[in-house]
Amino acid sequence: ETALAAVPGIEQAAVLAREDQPGTKQLVGYVTGRVDPATVRAAVAARLPEYMVPAAVVVLDTLPLTVNGKLDKKALPAPVFGDTRTYRAPTTPTEQNLAAIYARVLGVEHVGIDD
């Protein structure tokens, strides 16, 4: 949270270890302010080891609070993991087989050659 809060443009920051898919825990950063999530991840990655960098950064207008003024962790939205780059399909039979295996293991619709 301290590394996220140090990024210019971030007003508030919170980090949670989420398990949206059983057996897969990931750090997710929640921030307020006018920032780009990819820029925030890059700035944090320059300061912290990879295992401490949030897998996703979600920008919110405000952090949800309980009636007691504490962070309402249950009200934080799940991150949407989407490919921000263009998808490039596998071209060779080997690439197609590997992409199919990775897609099945990761539980995603498709895996491109750049993934």
Side-chain angles (χ1 to χ4, degrees):
E1 290 178 359
T2 302
L4 280 175
V7 175
I10 292 182
E11 297 164 2
Q12 294 177 303
V15 177
L16 292 178
R18 294 187 63 110
E19 188 174 0
D20 295 316
Q21 293 181 355
T24 304
K25 275 194 176 181
Q26 295 179 316
L27 289 179
V28 178
Y30 295 92
V31 298
T32 61
R34 300 193 63 144
V35 293
D36 174 51
T39 305
V40 172
R41 281 194 79 243
V44 172
R47 294 187 56 191
L48 297 175
E50 182 61 32
Y51 70 92
M52 294 180 76
V53 177
V57 174
V58 178
V59 181
L60 302 171
D61 292 332
T62 59
L63 292 179
L65 301 176
T66 64
V67 293
N68 296 327
K70 295 182 179 182
L71 179 65
D72 188 355
K73 296 176 183 177
K74 293 180 181 177
L76 291 170
V80 176
F81 292 99
D83 192 3
T84 58
R85 299 166 289 152
T86 57
Y87 171 73
R88 291 195 321 151
T91 54
T92 67
T94 302
E95 287 176 350
Q96 291 170 348
N97 288 335
L98 287 172
I101 291 168
Y102 276 105
R104 189 171 43 248
V105 169
L106 296 173
V108 296
E109 186 177 324
H110 62 268
V111 174
I113 60 173
D114 296 316
D115 298 331

